[in-house]
């Protein structure tokens, strides 16, 4: 399909700019055009004009407390803001270099009338994972929702050149942290609580330029299914979301990802011919955490703009 046939949308899809950011230090504040974290796309009755409208909460998570990793930017930021609009207090973890984004997210959570607690911590250390849960408990006294969302990725074209330290760091960040955070959080969780993990289309299809990242994402899907069965008797639901190609700072901050790739991000691979906006997948996390998701456990919701997942 050529780009002239691209379905119309109120989200940016034709103004995507080539851009680069410091590897591993992606900032939403530098993303051009800006991502959308809070507005849903609606259509007029004629089906002619799409328009954007702010997400309105309905008290689905009233007085709950959520801990989100990677909550300063991208998908995690959107999840935090939407959950706050649904009535939850939010603590979130992020890399200290991303303080600027974290402060912006804090403002948005507070605008929704909820509390935000910021934890600039590197989750590759299990001590920091323990610290994050302890600090969250100290501030909010309960944990109803854990969103394991932080991740890193680097491009490597051939495994003969792969840096094994980066492979290890990718596994520590993306999947081993989930073991630690979930281990420490679950002991505080009551019936009705929920864990939601961010996996990826790459975990299903495999990305030949990011074999290590893809492997962690495949592991996350299986971690989710296995843990869901283990925790079901306790009434703790474990699910995952598999985003497709989403307009977040992870993309321009990926070491080895050419700046020009951002210009056409998602336009070829996704039938909707555009990247998704963080809000468009964040809604799935809200659903899974809320009472609407009560019969969902061990599931992966795919938000890919139509990219067909294999397996
Ligand atoms: N953007 C996409 O196209 C896409 C596609 C599929 C899956 N995902 C997944 O979505 C999730 C969120 O990513 P995003 O796209 O919103 O990008 P993002 O860059 O906005 O978020 C990544 C977050 O991870 C945090 N992080 C990374 N390493 C960390 C560490 N060692 N300690 C603490 N925090 C750390 C960063 O602070 C950042 O907030 C990730 O799991 C990613 O794999 C994204």
């Amino acid at each position: 399909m050529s780009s002239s046939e691209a379905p119309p949308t109120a989200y940016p899809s034709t103004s995507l700019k080539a851009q680069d950011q410091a590897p591993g230090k992606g900032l939403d504040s530098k993303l051009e055009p800006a991502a959308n974290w809070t507005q849903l796309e609606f259509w007029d009755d004629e089906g002619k004009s799409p328009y954007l409208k702010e997400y309105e909460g309905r008290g689905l998570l009233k007085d709950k407390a959520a801990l989100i990793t990677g909550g300063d930017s991208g998908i995690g930021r959107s999840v935090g803001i939407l959950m706050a609009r649904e009535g939850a207090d939010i603590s979130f973890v992020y890399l200290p270099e991303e303080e600027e984004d974290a402060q912006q997210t804090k403002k948005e959570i507070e605008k929704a009338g909820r509390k935000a607690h910021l934890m600039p911590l590197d989750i590759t250390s299990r001590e920091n994972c323990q610290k994050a849960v302890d600090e969250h408990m100290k501030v909010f006294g309960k944990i109803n929702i854990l969103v394991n969302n932080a991740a890193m990725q680097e491009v490597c074209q051939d495994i003969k050149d792969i840096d094994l330290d980066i492979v290890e760091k990718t596994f520590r960040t993306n999947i081993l942290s989930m073991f630690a955070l979930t281990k420490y959080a679950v002991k505080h969780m009551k019936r009705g609580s929920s864990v939601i993990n961010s996996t990826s289309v790459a975990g299903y299809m495999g990305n030949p330029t990011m074999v290590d990242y893809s492997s962690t994402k495949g592991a996350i899907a299986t971690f989710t299914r296995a843990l869901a069965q283990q925790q079901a008797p306790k009434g703790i639901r474990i699910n995952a979301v598999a985003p497709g190609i989403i307009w977040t700072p992870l993309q321009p901050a990926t070491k080895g990802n050419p700046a020009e790739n951002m210009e056409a991000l998602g336009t070829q691979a996704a039938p909707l011919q555009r990247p998704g906006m963080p809000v468009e997948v964040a809604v799935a996390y809200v659903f899974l955490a809320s009472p609407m998701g009560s019969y969902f456990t061990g599931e992966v919701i795919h938000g890919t703009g139509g990219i067909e997942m294999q397996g």
Side-chain angles (χ1 to χ4, degrees), residues 190-219:
K190 306 276 191 293
R191 204 161 269 280
S193 301
S194 142
V195 178
I196 304 158
N197 305 316
S198 293
T199 173
S200 168
V201 63
Y204 288 80
M205 309 196 47
N207 181 330
T209 69
M210 292 191 285
V211 173
D212 47 359
Y213 173 81
S214 303
S215 306
T216 65
K217 293 296 173 177

Side-chain angles (χ1 to χ4, degrees), residues 72-73 75 95 98 121-123 149 213 217 244 246 248 251:
D72 60 302
S73 60
I75 296 167
L95 287 172
E98 296 169 4
L121 289 171
D122 183 338
I123 56 166
N149 168 71
Y213 173 81
K217 293 296 173 177
I246 312 299
T248 76
Q251 301 282 2

Side-chain angles (χ1 to χ4, degrees), residues 27 93-100 102 119-123:
L27 285 176
V93 179
Y94 55 98
L95 287 172
E97 302 90 297
E98 296 169 4
E99 187 62 32
E100 182 185 340
M119 299 187 282
L121 289 171
D122 183 338
I123 56 166

Side-chain angles (χ1 to χ4, degrees), residues 5-161:
E5 295 160 9
T9 175
Y11 292 117
S13 64
T14 52
S15 55
L16 310 176
K17 302 257 187 319
Q19 58 204 287
D20 240 342
Q21 291 201 27
K25 293 173 193 143
L27 285 176
D28 251 328
S29 57
K30 289 193 182 155
L31 210 51
E32 204 186 347
N36 199 313
W37 311 281
T38 61
Q39 293 176 308
L40 300 178
E41 185 179 69
F42 287 75
W43 285 82
D44 67 350
D45 281 350
E46 304 295 318
K48 285 189 180 150
S49 306
Y51 60 97
L52 298 175
K53 211 172 131 186
E54 283 297 320
Y55 178 99
E56 287 174 33
R58 285 172 289 165
L60 288 172
L61 303 174
K62 189 160 172 17
D63 295 332
K64 303 294 183 201
L67 192 170
I68 303 171
T69 65
D72 60 302
S73 60
I75 296 167
R77 165 186 275 187
S78 183
V79 171
I81 299 171
L82 300 197
M83 285 189 174
R85 290 188 185 180
E86 291 294 355
D89 291 324
I90 310 291
S91 69
F92 65 88
V93 179
Y94 55 98
L95 287 172
E97 302 90 297
E98 296 169 4
E99 187 62 32
E100 182 185 340
D101 275 353
Q103 289 300 329
Q104 186 58 35
T105 307
K106 178 176 188 277
K107 271 194 208 144
E108 290 295 328
I109 291 168
E110 289 172 349
K111 245 203 271 176
R114 303 307 307 191
K115 291 193 190 106
H117 179 69
L118 276 53
M119 299 187 282
L121 289 171
D122 183 338
I123 56 166
T124 55
S125 113
R126 72 172 74 146
E127 290 75 23
N128 280 346
C129 293
Q130 173 83 74
K131 200 170 163 202
V133 172
D134 289 350
E135 217 178 289
H136 170 96
M137 287 303 294
K138 204 168 152 206
V139 174
F140 294 125
K142 61 182 173 186
I143 177 162
N144 309 101
I145 302 155
L146 170 66
V147 181
N148 284 313
N149 168 71
M152 63 159 287
Q153 61 182 30
E154 278 197 23
V155 167
C156 175
Q157 301 293 346
D158 195 313
I159 197 159
K160 72 179 166 42
D161 303 319

